[in-house]
Amino acid sequence: MDQRLAKLIGTAFPVGTKRRWFLSSVAGLLGMAPQVPGIGSTPGSRAFNALADTARTLGKDNAAYWAPIRNLLKIKAELFLSDPESSLEFPAFDSPVVSILLVTFNSVEYTFQCLETVKAHTDVPYEVIIVDNASTDRTGDLLGRIRNAKVIRNTGNTGFLRACNTGAKAALGKHILFLNNDTQVTAGWLAGLVSAVETYPECAAAGAKLLQPDGRLQEAGCVIWRDGSTSPYGRGSNPFVPEVSHLREVDYCGGACLLVRKDLFFDLGGFDERYAPAYYEEADLCMGIRERGYKVVYQPASGVIHYEYGSGSFRKALKTAQVNQAKFAAKWKKTLDGHLEPSKENLIRARDKRRGKRILVVHDGDFASDSAKTAGLINGLSGTDHLITLFVVRPSSPAGELIRELRQLGVEVVCDEVKTDLSAFSEERKGFYEFVVPAGVRSDETERLIKQYFPGAVITEGGAEGVMKRINGPKGA
């Protein structure tokens, strides 16, 4: 952003004012979602097409869309509660790896659905902790039907943040998983998060891919800008596109589903109560984690549906978040000075906290027969803090498992039967990459596009060993 423009914005929209909050919210929620042309032809993408068509017709805020969903959840909960013999029993583990912590305040229908899916889809040793903030609906009846869970009943509504801190003290797990009660988890959700924290170097927290109930992406990690405002990356887009399908180091992940190492959570003093009752507490915690030298990672393999504001008021949330942004910006002013200004142009840099070299590997030719060689090259570069994108000009389905493995190593793989336009991709990323590595069969058209869109990049070739030595050496020498 031009310095004069930034100064003008700072004068007209001072940090901490309603005007600045409105500007940041509009930019974060609408203007900064990545442009992701071309929905792919994978089964997941085809399912997204159908859901997106429905969402466009009805609209997210249209009562005609949301009322039937909530009514269905209410009917399910009522059917469960109307049977005096029904109960929800969780497995009992002597040594849980994860303590799953929910805070409830009314909205029994969301809580019931959340707990049902946790029981159905959780595949690591765990325990469930529920802190109820004096609910007045049938939440109390539901909690009385739950077996093998720790239930803490507050005599009043202490708010989300303080209830989380209370529940965390009862945790036996190595990690604490903060999970909103208005969520619905999916197969493999927790194993993916645990894997990220326990295998990714210096990782202390991991967040899931959050999805809207209509199939659109809600968040794939979040960006914190210099003024303390935030942007949920990819909001409103197709959740299957390559841009949101690889492991990334991020500023923070939303607290609707956030796994944190328990020891570090308590070392940092838990959630900072200056943000009570809620909002910005997870951004603040992740900032503290990163200040300690640890990483916060977005895990795309963990999918969680979030009924955003399902158990609360959007208007009230907006007002509270506005106040807490000013508190957050004041507390972290020195650190935020090193963050980027909020702008669509800065999003591609801000979405990933890794600060290695920016590398584009362009594979042309038959990827299925040559993928192992290209993967060997990329494996030699990954794990070095580099930001690596593999663009496959001619995708082939047999390489699906390899692509998943590369994405879990933090490699952005653009490989889709529809999204094969290297020209359009290069236009989006013009000038971003420092190194370009041609792989496979080098065509004249690919070479022309590389030179056109990345004229300042070092074009590196000549075998995997030579490429790695040149990129990993000092200043690419």
Side-chain angles (χ1 to χ4, degrees), residues 162-175:
R162 291 192 175 99
C164 283
N165 284 344
T166 297
K169 294 173 184 176
L172 296 178
K174 181 181 177 183
H175 311 294

Side-chain angles (χ1 to χ4, degrees), residues 73-287:
L73 300 183
K74 287 179 178 178
I75 291 170
K76 284 180 61 181
E78 187 59 35
L79 288 171
F80 175 84
L81 293 171
S82 64
D83 180 359
E85 301 299 319
S86 64
S87 64
L88 193 59
E89 185 172 351
F90 291 97
F93 296 98
D94 292 333
S95 301
V97 175
V98 180
S99 298
I100 302 173
L101 197 162
L102 280 78
V103 174
T104 58
F105 177 66
N106 297 328
S107 299
V108 64
E109 64 274 16
Y110 287 114
T111 303
F112 176 63
Q113 176 185 241
C114 178
L115 292 174
E116 263 198 325
T117 60
V118 166
K119 181 181 177 181
H121 297 305
T122 305
D123 47 4
V124 299
Y126 70 100
E127 65 173 351
V128 173
I129 302 171
I130 303 170
V131 183
D132 181 56
N133 273 330
S135 295
T136 56
D137 66 352
R138 297 200 69 185
T139 295
D141 295 340
L142 173 64
L143 298 183
R145 307 283 191 92
I146 296 174
R147 308 288 179 259
N148 295 329
K150 297 175 182 176
V151 177
I152 301 170
R153 298 177 188 260
N154 289 332
T155 56
N157 186 358
T158 64
F160 176 80
L161 186 154
R162 291 192 175 99
C164 283
N165 284 344
T166 297
K169 294 173 184 176
L172 296 178
K174 181 181 177 183
H175 311 294
I176 300 175
L177 188 285
F178 297 98
L179 184 67
N180 276 23
N181 70 319
D182 57 354
T183 57
Q184 181 179 351
V185 304
T186 63
W189 74 290
L190 191 54
L193 294 172
V194 172
S195 173
V197 170
E198 296 192 346
T199 63
Y200 194 89
E202 299 175 324
C203 181
K209 177 186 286 187
L210 298 182
L211 307 168
Q212 300 280 14
D214 61 16
R216 290 177 293 177
L217 182 67
Q218 186 179 117
E219 171 203 312
C222 296
V223 172
I224 300 175
W225 301 106
R226 185 172 294 179
D227 62 358
S229 62
T230 64
S231 291
Y233 183 70
R235 187 181 179 93
S237 68
N238 175 356
F240 300 101
V241 292
E243 290 86 340
V244 299
S245 298
H246 65 293
L247 224 69
R248 294 193 326 276
E249 293 176 23
V250 295
D251 284 321
Y252 80 99
C253 292
C257 180
L258 179 66
L259 184 76
V260 183
R261 269 179 36 189
K262 184 177 72 174
D263 59 346
L264 191 54
F265 178 77
F266 285 115
D267 284 347
L268 290 165
F271 286 128
D272 189 337
E273 295 199 0
R274 78 180 68 196
Y275 303 106
Y279 298 104
Y280 266 88
E281 72 279 349
E282 77 271 57
D284 178 85
L285 180 72
C286 290
M287 189 76 94

